[in-house]
Amino acid sequence: SQKIEQNSEALNIQEGKTATLTCNYTNYSPAYLQWYRQDPGRGPVFLLLIRENEKEKRKERLKVTFDTTLKQSLFHITASQPADSATYLCALPLSGGYNKLIFGAGTRLAVHP
Amino acid sequence: GAVVSQHPSRVICKSGTSVKIECRSLDFQATTMFWYRQFPKQSLMLMATSNEGSKATYEQGVEKDKFLINHASLTLSTLTVTSAHPEDSSFYICSARDGQGANEKLFFGSGTQLSVL
């Protein structure tokens, strides 16, 4: 069955450094992959979408890569700030219509001053 | 961007009662909405797909008689947890796509924390 894996361990980094989060998937060939941010007690907020024919996508301090051979996406936040502290979720579309999304468990990022 | 409003944000109820959660798309029409639930430190689990004017489709393992979904208009979907029990306590989140624009990304409501005593 389709499976998404994100590092369940929290990532602690110093302000100003680059945070790198990993999303791996198996038994799957998605047409695109998405990244969301979720703050405690809130719904996720969309950040970036990258398609299978794109190697890299950037938006301000965010960068996403998509390696369909490795079945992996990397999510980078450069010049990280304490306000970037949140849980980051990777999401992929399920087959079967309606473009349903399934989510990884997320990785919690803590940026320390 | 598109806004999805979800109410209530928090509800505490006694075991055996029913709870209704509303999800509205404020500035766009949503023919399809999705309902997720999330346990602490776990992934969002898709429960069902709500379709305007037709029956919802439920994911495997989700009881349709327990979680009633109604999508009566293009801007409103409701989830009713019937005869709630403590094991139904969870964070419920709705989401929708803005059919007018790029339709892959989801806009989420702020979630409803349900606590069943």
mmCIF file of all heavy atoms in Angstrom, chain A residues 32 34 36 38 41-44 46 49 51 89 98-101 103-105, chain B residues 32 34 36 38 43-44 46 49 51 59 91 93 97 104-106 108-110:
data_model
loop_
_atom_site.group_PDB
_atom_site.id
_atom_site.type_symbol
_atom_site.label_atom_id
_atom_site.label_comp_id
_atom_site.label_asym_id
_atom_site.label_seq_id
_atom_site.Cartn_x
_atom_site.Cartn_y
_atom_site.Cartn_z
ATOM 1 N N TYR A 32 2.460 14.749 -8.288
ATOM 2 C CA TYR A 32 2.984 15.931 -7.610
ATOM 3 C C TYR A 32 3.090 15.637 -6.119
ATOM 4 O O TYR A 32 2.585 14.601 -5.636
ATOM 5 C CB TYR A 32 2.102 17.157 -7.853
ATOM 6 C CG TYR A 32 0.658 16.998 -7.424
ATOM 7 C CD1 TYR A 32 0.269 17.233 -6.102
ATOM 8 C CD2 TYR A 32 -0.314 16.623 -8.345
ATOM 9 C CE1 TYR A 32 -1.049 17.086 -5.717
ATOM 10 C CE2 TYR A 32 -1.626 16.468 -7.962
ATOM 11 C CZ TYR A 32 -1.995 16.695 -6.648
ATOM 12 O OH TYR A 32 -3.302 16.541 -6.266
ATOM 13 N N GLN A 34 3.159 17.847 -2.190
ATOM 14 C CA GLN A 34 2.913 19.147 -1.560
ATOM 15 C C GLN A 34 3.515 19.178 -0.155
ATOM 16 O O GLN A 34 3.663 18.136 0.499
ATOM 17 C CB GLN A 34 1.408 19.406 -1.440
ATOM 18 C CG GLN A 34 0.677 19.390 -2.768
ATOM 19 C CD GLN A 34 -0.796 19.724 -2.615
ATOM 20 O OE1 GLN A 34 -1.203 20.380 -1.678
ATOM 21 N NE2 GLN A 34 -1.600 19.281 -3.562
ATOM 22 N N TYR A 36 2.959 21.277 3.593
ATOM 23 C CA TYR A 36 2.090 22.117 4.397
ATOM 24 C C TYR A 36 2.768 22.411 5.725
ATOM 25 O O TYR A 36 3.568 21.623 6.214
ATOM 26 C CB TYR A 36 0.759 21.411 4.685
ATOM 27 C CG TYR A 36 -0.164 21.297 3.492
ATOM 28 C CD1 TYR A 36 0.063 20.338 2.504
ATOM 29 C CD2 TYR A 36 -1.264 22.143 3.356
ATOM 30 C CE1 TYR A 36 -0.782 20.237 1.409
ATOM 31 C CE2 TYR A 36 -2.117 22.045 2.270
ATOM 32 C CZ TYR A 36 -1.860 21.091 1.298
ATOM 33 O OH TYR A 36 -2.699 20.990 0.215
ATOM 34 N N GLN A 38 1.777 23.157 9.774
ATOM 35 C CA GLN A 38 0.707 23.076 10.752
ATOM 36 C C GLN A 38 1.196 23.568 12.107
ATOM 37 O O GLN A 38 2.183 23.059 12.638
ATOM 38 C CB GLN A 38 0.157 21.644 10.879
ATOM 39 C CG GLN A 38 -1.063 21.565 11.787
ATOM 40 C CD GLN A 38 -1.669 20.178 11.863
ATOM 41 O OE1 GLN A 38 -1.003 19.183 11.623
ATOM 42 N NE2 GLN A 38 -2.955 20.100 12.181
ATOM 43 N N GLY A 41 -2.919 22.952 17.220
ATOM 44 C CA GLY A 41 -4.334 23.265 17.327
ATOM 45 C C GLY A 41 -4.921 23.982 16.127
ATOM 46 O O GLY A 41 -6.016 24.548 16.227
ATOM 47 N N ARG A 42 -4.220 23.962 14.999
ATOM 48 C CA ARG A 42 -4.695 24.647 13.803
ATOM 49 C C ARG A 42 -4.706 23.690 12.621
ATOM 50 O O ARG A 42 -4.068 22.639 12.638
ATOM 51 C CB ARG A 42 -3.778 25.835 13.466
ATOM 52 C CG ARG A 42 -3.518 26.793 14.596
ATOM 53 C CD ARG A 42 -4.742 27.579 14.961
ATOM 54 N NE ARG A 42 -5.134 28.484 13.882
ATOM 55 C CZ ARG A 42 -6.225 29.252 13.923
ATOM 56 N NH1 ARG A 42 -7.022 29.200 14.962
ATOM 57 N NH2 ARG A 42 -6.515 30.049 12.923
ATOM 58 N N GLY A 43 -5.420 24.083 11.570
ATOM 59 C CA GLY A 43 -5.395 23.297 10.343
ATOM 60 C C GLY A 43 -4.128 23.599 9.556
ATOM 61 O O GLY A 43 -3.513 24.649 9.720
ATOM 62 N N PRO A 44 -3.719 22.672 8.691
ATOM 63 C CA PRO A 44 -2.517 22.889 7.877
ATOM 64 C C PRO A 44 -2.691 24.047 6.902
ATOM 65 O O PRO A 44 -3.801 24.349 6.464
ATOM 66 C CB PRO A 44 -2.355 21.565 7.131
ATOM 67 C CG PRO A 44 -3.139 20.570 7.914
ATOM 68 C CD PRO A 44 -4.284 21.347 8.495
ATOM 69 N N PHE A 46 -1.108 25.451 3.207
ATOM 70 C CA PHE A 46 -0.331 25.068 2.030
ATOM 71 C C PHE A 46 0.894 25.951 1.869
ATOM 72 O O PHE A 46 0.823 27.177 2.031
ATOM 73 C CB PHE A 46 -1.218 25.192 0.787
ATOM 74 C CG PHE A 46 -0.477 25.022 -0.512
ATOM 75 C CD1 PHE A 46 -0.182 23.757 -0.990
ATOM 76 C CD2 PHE A 46 -0.075 26.130 -1.243
ATOM 77 C CE1 PHE A 46 0.488 23.602 -2.189
ATOM 78 C CE2 PHE A 46 0.601 25.977 -2.438
ATOM 79 C CZ PHE A 46 0.884 24.715 -2.910
ATOM 80 N N LEU A 49 3.954 23.296 -3.902
ATOM 81 C CA LEU A 49 3.634 22.102 -4.681
ATOM 82 C C LEU A 49 4.743 21.924 -5.707
ATOM 83 O O LEU A 49 5.179 22.894 -6.333
ATOM 84 C CB LEU A 49 2.284 22.274 -5.384
ATOM 85 C CG LEU A 49 1.789 21.126 -6.295
ATOM 86 C CD1 LEU A 49 0.266 21.127 -6.334
ATOM 87 C CD2 LEU A 49 2.328 21.246 -7.715
ATOM 88 N N ARG A 51 5.849 19.321 -9.026
ATOM 89 C CA ARG A 51 5.345 18.275 -9.912
ATOM 90 C C ARG A 51 6.444 17.271 -10.240
ATOM 91 O O ARG A 51 7.639 17.561 -10.089
ATOM 92 C CB ARG A 51 4.793 18.897 -11.191
ATOM 93 C CG ARG A 51 3.653 19.865 -10.923
ATOM 94 C CD ARG A 51 2.968 20.365 -12.171
ATOM 95 N NE ARG A 51 2.008 21.411 -11.818
ATOM 96 C CZ ARG A 51 0.812 21.157 -11.326
ATOM 97 N NH1 ARG A 51 0.411 19.919 -11.154
ATOM 98 N NH2 ARG A 51 -0.005 22.155 -11.027
ATOM 99 N N LEU A 89 4.271 19.102 7.079
ATOM 100 C CA LEU A 89 3.654 17.884 6.564
ATOM 101 C C LEU A 89 3.893 17.750 5.069
ATOM 102 O O LEU A 89 3.783 18.716 4.320
ATOM 103 C CB LEU A 89 2.140 17.931 6.794
ATOM 104 C CG LEU A 89 1.643 18.224 8.203
ATOM 105 C CD1 LEU A 89 0.134 18.435 8.193
ATOM 106 C CD2 LEU A 89 1.999 17.091 9.136
ATOM 107 N N TYR A 98 -11.064 12.479 -7.415
ATOM 108 C CA TYR A 98 -11.219 13.554 -6.428
ATOM 109 C C TYR A 98 -9.881 14.130 -5.966
ATOM 110 O O TYR A 98 -9.869 15.014 -5.138
ATOM 111 C CB TYR A 98 -12.008 13.085 -5.195
ATOM 112 C CG TYR A 98 -13.422 12.675 -5.507
ATOM 113 C CD1 TYR A 98 -13.833 11.367 -5.306
ATOM 114 C CD2 TYR A 98 -14.331 13.589 -6.001
ATOM 115 C CE1 TYR A 98 -15.137 10.998 -5.605
ATOM 116 C CE2 TYR A 98 -15.628 13.223 -6.295
ATOM 117 C CZ TYR A 98 -16.023 11.921 -6.096
ATOM 118 O OH TYR A 98 -17.311 11.532 -6.382
ATOM 119 N N ASN A 99 -8.757 13.611 -6.473
ATOM 120 C CA ASN A 99 -7.457 14.120 -6.035
ATOM 121 C C ASN A 99 -7.348 14.166 -4.521
ATOM 122 O O ASN A 99 -6.940 15.173 -3.939
ATOM 123 C CB ASN A 99 -7.193 15.518 -6.611
ATOM 124 C CG ASN A 99 -6.759 15.442 -8.059
ATOM 125 O OD1 ASN A 99 -6.064 14.518 -8.455
ATOM 126 N ND2 ASN A 99 -7.178 16.408 -8.845
ATOM 127 N N LYS A 100 -7.741 13.098 -3.867
ATOM 128 C CA LYS A 100 -7.627 13.035 -2.413
ATOM 129 C C LYS A 100 -6.160 13.070 -2.024
ATOM 130 O O LYS A 100 -5.319 12.469 -2.683
ATOM 131 C CB LYS A 100 -8.274 11.745 -1.897
ATOM 132 C CG LYS A 100 -9.769 11.679 -2.140
ATOM 133 C CD LYS A 100 -10.386 10.459 -1.495
ATOM 134 C CE LYS A 100 -10.074 9.203 -2.238
ATOM 135 N NZ LYS A 100 -10.863 8.047 -1.711
ATOM 136 N N LEU A 101 -5.879 13.771 -0.918
ATOM 137 C CA LEU A 101 -4.507 13.867 -0.439
ATOM 138 C C LEU A 101 -4.313 12.992 0.791
ATOM 139 O O LEU A 101 -5.171 12.950 1.670
ATOM 140 C CB LEU A 101 -4.172 15.300 -0.043
ATOM 141 C CG LEU A 101 -3.854 16.311 -1.146
ATOM 142 C CD1 LEU A 101 -3.446 17.638 -0.524
ATOM 143 C CD2 LEU A 101 -2.754 15.818 -2.057
ATOM 144 N N PHE A 103 -1.422 12.314 3.925
ATOM 145 C CA PHE A 103 -0.386 13.088 4.582
ATOM 146 C C PHE A 103 0.599 12.209 5.348
ATOM 147 O O PHE A 103 0.221 11.161 5.879
ATOM 148 C CB PHE A 103 -1.021 14.067 5.584
ATOM 149 C CG PHE A 103 -1.681 15.244 4.939
ATOM 150 C CD1 PHE A 103 -2.956 15.137 4.401
ATOM 151 C CD2 PHE A 103 -1.029 16.462 4.857
ATOM 152 C CE1 PHE A 103 -3.572 16.220 3.791
ATOM 153 C CE2 PHE A 103 -1.637 17.553 4.246
ATOM 154 C CZ PHE A 103 -2.903 17.435 3.716
ATOM 155 N N GLY A 104 1.838 12.661 5.408
ATOM 156 C CA GLY A 104 2.790 12.063 6.328
ATOM 157 C C GLY A 104 2.486 12.547 7.733
ATOM 158 O O GLY A 104 1.678 13.458 7.933
ATOM 159 N N ALA A 105 3.149 11.945 8.709
ATOM 160 C CA ALA A 105 2.904 12.289 10.114
ATOM 161 C C ALA A 105 3.501 13.642 10.478
ATOM 162 O O ALA A 105 3.165 14.207 11.517
ATOM 163 C CB ALA A 105 3.448 11.205 11.034
ATOM 164 N N THR B 32 -16.400 19.825 -3.753
ATOM 165 C CA THR B 32 -15.877 18.699 -2.976
ATOM 166 C C THR B 32 -15.157 19.213 -1.741
ATOM 167 O O THR B 32 -14.350 20.136 -1.827
ATOM 168 C CB THR B 32 -14.885 17.867 -3.819
ATOM 169 O OG1 THR B 32 -15.536 17.405 -4.995
ATOM 170 C CG2 THR B 32 -14.371 16.674 -3.019
ATOM 171 N N PHE B 34 -13.252 17.692 2.026
ATOM 172 C CA PHE B 34 -12.663 16.504 2.635
ATOM 173 C C PHE B 34 -12.662 16.665 4.151
ATOM 174 O O PHE B 34 -12.366 17.736 4.672
ATOM 175 C CB PHE B 34 -11.225 16.297 2.143
ATOM 176 C CG PHE B 34 -11.103 16.193 0.651
ATOM 177 C CD1 PHE B 34 -10.847 17.323 -0.105
ATOM 178 C CD2 PHE B 34 -11.242 14.972 0.013
ATOM 179 C CE1 PHE B 34 -10.731 17.240 -1.486
ATOM 180 C CE2 PHE B 34 -11.124 14.887 -1.365
ATOM 181 C CZ PHE B 34 -10.878 16.022 -2.115
ATOM 182 N N TYR B 36 -10.976 15.227 7.657
ATOM 183 C CA TYR B 36 -9.859 14.488 8.239
ATOM 184 C C TYR B 36 -10.030 14.463 9.753
ATOM 185 O O TYR B 36 -10.693 15.325 10.338
ATOM 186 C CB TYR B 36 -8.530 15.191 7.935
ATOM 187 C CG TYR B 36 -8.072 15.140 6.487
ATOM 188 C CD1 TYR B 36 -8.543 16.050 5.551
ATOM 189 C CD2 TYR B 36 -7.136 14.196 6.074
ATOM 190 C CE1 TYR B 36 -8.108 16.019 4.230
ATOM 191 C CE2 TYR B 36 -6.687 14.156 4.757
ATOM 192 C CZ TYR B 36 -7.181 15.073 3.852
ATOM 193 O OH TYR B 36 -6.744 15.039 2.535
ATOM 194 N N GLN B 38 -7.376 13.849 13.297
ATOM 195 C CA GLN B 38 -5.974 13.794 13.678
ATOM 196 C C GLN B 38 -5.854 13.550 15.163
ATOM 197 O O GLN B 38 -6.399 14.317 15.974
ATOM 198 C CB GLN B 38 -5.279 15.109 13.291
ATOM 199 C CG GLN B 38 -3.776 15.115 13.517
ATOM 200 C CD GLN B 38 -3.139 16.427 13.070
ATOM 201 O OE1 GLN B 38 -3.737 17.497 13.201
ATOM 202 N NE2 GLN B 38 -1.930 16.357 12.539
ATOM 203 N N SER B 43 -0.557 11.631 12.009
ATOM 204 C CA SER B 43 -0.888 12.201 10.713
ATOM 205 C C SER B 43 -2.377 12.505 10.599
ATOM 206 O O SER B 43 -3.190 11.939 11.324
ATOM 207 C CB SER B 43 -0.493 11.200 9.631
ATOM 208 O OG SER B 43 -0.885 11.663 8.371
ATOM 209 N N LEU B 44 -2.717 13.387 9.666
ATOM 210 C CA LEU B 44 -4.126 13.573 9.317
ATOM 211 C C LEU B 44 -4.603 12.305 8.603
ATOM 212 O O LEU B 44 -3.946 11.827 7.680
ATOM 213 C CB LEU B 44 -4.296 14.748 8.351
ATOM 214 C CG LEU B 44 -4.295 16.151 8.915
ATOM 215 C CD1 LEU B 44 -2.886 16.599 9.243
ATOM 216 C CD2 LEU B 44 -4.919 17.122 7.930
ATOM 217 N N LEU B 46 -7.607 10.745 6.398
ATOM 218 C CA LEU B 46 -8.776 11.083 5.616
ATOM 219 C C LEU B 46 -9.942 10.190 6.032
ATOM 220 O O LEU B 46 -9.814 8.962 6.041
ATOM 221 C CB LEU B 46 -8.480 10.917 4.117
ATOM 222 C CG LEU B 46 -9.613 11.244 3.161
ATOM 223 C CD1 LEU B 46 -9.991 12.720 3.253
ATOM 224 C CD2 LEU B 46 -9.217 10.895 1.728
ATOM 225 N N THR B 49 -14.938 11.915 1.740
ATOM 226 C CA THR B 49 -15.020 12.965 0.728
ATOM 227 C C THR B 49 -16.478 13.368 0.608
ATOM 228 O O THR B 49 -17.351 12.522 0.381
ATOM 229 C CB THR B 49 -14.503 12.444 -0.622
ATOM 230 O OG1 THR B 49 -13.153 11.994 -0.454
ATOM 231 C CG2 THR B 49 -14.548 13.539 -1.670
ATOM 232 N N ASN B 51 -19.404 15.409 -1.214
ATOM 233 C CA ASN B 51 -19.737 15.901 -2.545
ATOM 234 C C ASN B 51 -21.063 16.638 -2.528
ATOM 235 O O ASN B 51 -22.065 16.112 -2.051
ATOM 236 C CB ASN B 51 -19.828 14.732 -3.518
ATOM 237 C CG ASN B 51 -18.607 13.858 -3.493
ATOM 238 O OD1 ASN B 51 -17.510 14.294 -3.800
ATOM 239 N ND2 ASN B 51 -18.764 12.618 -3.086
ATOM 240 N N GLU B 59 -13.768 6.527 3.616
ATOM 241 C CA GLU B 59 -12.572 5.701 3.549
ATOM 242 C C GLU B 59 -12.800 4.393 4.308
ATOM 243 O O GLU B 59 -13.677 4.309 5.181
ATOM 244 C CB GLU B 59 -11.360 6.448 4.119
ATOM 245 C CG GLU B 59 -10.993 7.691 3.322
ATOM 246 C CD GLU B 59 -10.669 7.400 1.880
ATOM 247 O OE1 GLU B 59 -9.790 6.533 1.627
ATOM 248 O OE2 GLU B 59 -11.267 8.031 0.994
ATOM 249 N N PHE B 91 -9.142 15.569 16.898
ATOM 250 C CA PHE B 91 -9.138 16.865 16.207
ATOM 251 C C PHE B 91 -9.675 16.618 14.805
ATOM 252 O O PHE B 91 -9.093 15.846 14.042
ATOM 253 C CB PHE B 91 -7.697 17.399 16.181
ATOM 254 C CG PHE B 91 -7.544 18.821 15.719
ATOM 255 C CD1 PHE B 91 -8.235 19.844 16.343
ATOM 256 C CD2 PHE B 91 -6.687 19.136 14.682
ATOM 257 C CE1 PHE B 91 -8.079 21.166 15.931
ATOM 258 C CE2 PHE B 91 -6.527 20.456 14.267
ATOM 259 C CZ PHE B 91 -7.221 21.470 14.881
ATOM 260 N N ILE B 93 -10.764 18.062 11.090
ATOM 261 C CA ILE B 93 -10.434 19.191 10.212
ATOM 262 C C ILE B 93 -11.078 18.985 8.851
ATOM 263 O O ILE B 93 -11.004 17.887 8.290
ATOM 264 C CB ILE B 93 -8.912 19.328 9.988
ATOM 265 C CG1 ILE B 93 -8.126 19.081 11.265
ATOM 266 C CG2 ILE B 93 -8.565 20.700 9.421
ATOM 267 C CD1 ILE B 93 -6.630 19.081 11.061
ATOM 268 N N ARG B 97 -11.054 22.480 -1.998
ATOM 269 C CA ARG B 97 -10.288 23.068 -3.100
ATOM 270 C C ARG B 97 -11.097 24.201 -3.699
ATOM 271 O O ARG B 97 -12.316 24.122 -3.775
ATOM 272 C CB ARG B 97 -10.008 22.032 -4.182
ATOM 273 C CG ARG B 97 -8.965 21.037 -3.822
ATOM 274 C CD ARG B 97 -8.482 20.281 -5.039
ATOM 275 N NE ARG B 97 -7.290 19.521 -4.707
ATOM 276 C CZ ARG B 97 -7.316 18.289 -4.190
ATOM 277 N NH1 ARG B 97 -8.456 17.687 -3.976
ATOM 278 N NH2 ARG B 97 -6.199 17.673 -3.898
ATOM 279 N N GLU B 104 -5.052 21.685 -7.133
ATOM 280 C CA GLU B 104 -4.416 20.611 -6.381
ATOM 281 C C GLU B 104 -4.300 20.907 -4.894
ATOM 282 O O GLU B 104 -4.373 19.999 -4.086
ATOM 283 C CB GLU B 104 -3.010 20.320 -6.929
ATOM 284 C CG GLU B 104 -3.017 19.719 -8.327
ATOM 285 C CD GLU B 104 -2.716 20.738 -9.389
ATOM 286 O OE1 GLU B 104 -2.699 21.950 -9.093
ATOM 287 O OE2 GLU B 104 -2.495 20.337 -10.542
ATOM 288 N N LYS B 105 -4.078 22.161 -4.518
ATOM 289 C CA LYS B 105 -3.836 22.433 -3.112
ATOM 290 C C LYS B 105 -5.148 22.519 -2.352
ATOM 291 O O LYS B 105 -6.196 22.844 -2.892
ATOM 292 C CB LYS B 105 -3.029 23.718 -2.929
ATOM 293 C CG LYS B 105 -3.725 24.985 -3.358
ATOM 294 C CD LYS B 105 -2.786 26.169 -3.157
ATOM 295 C CE LYS B 105 -3.405 27.461 -3.621
ATOM 296 N NZ LYS B 105 -2.468 28.599 -3.498
ATOM 297 N N LEU B 106 -5.046 22.181 -1.058
ATOM 298 C CA LEU B 106 -6.203 22.208 -0.180
ATOM 299 C C LEU B 106 -6.140 23.410 0.746
ATOM 300 O O LEU B 106 -5.072 23.785 1.221
ATOM 301 C CB LEU B 106 -6.255 20.942 0.673
ATOM 302 C CG LEU B 106 -6.615 19.627 -0.028
ATOM 303 C CD1 LEU B 106 -6.581 18.487 0.973
ATOM 304 C CD2 LEU B 106 -7.974 19.716 -0.685
ATOM 305 N N PHE B 108 -7.578 24.519 4.389
ATOM 306 C CA PHE B 108 -8.094 23.854 5.567
ATOM 307 C C PHE B 108 -8.829 24.809 6.487
ATOM 308 O O PHE B 108 -8.479 25.988 6.607
ATOM 309 C CB PHE B 108 -6.954 23.207 6.361
ATOM 310 C CG PHE B 108 -6.453 21.925 5.761
ATOM 311 C CD1 PHE B 108 -5.491 21.938 4.767
ATOM 312 C CD2 PHE B 108 -6.947 20.701 6.193
ATOM 313 C CE1 PHE B 108 -5.035 20.752 4.208
ATOM 314 C CE2 PHE B 108 -6.498 19.520 5.637
ATOM 315 C CZ PHE B 108 -5.538 19.545 4.643
ATOM 316 N N GLY B 109 -9.834 24.258 7.184
ATOM 317 C CA GLY B 109 -10.427 24.981 8.286
ATOM 318 C C GLY B 109 -9.485 24.946 9.469
ATOM 319 O O GLY B 109 -8.436 24.283 9.435
ATOM 320 N N SER B 110 -9.857 25.642 10.530
ATOM 321 C CA SER B 110 -8.979 25.732 11.692
ATOM 322 C C SER B 110 -9.117 24.545 12.630
ATOM 323 O O SER B 110 -8.404 24.441 13.613
ATOM 324 C CB SER B 110 -9.247 27.037 12.455
ATOM 325 O OG SER B 110 -10.622 27.138 12.743
#
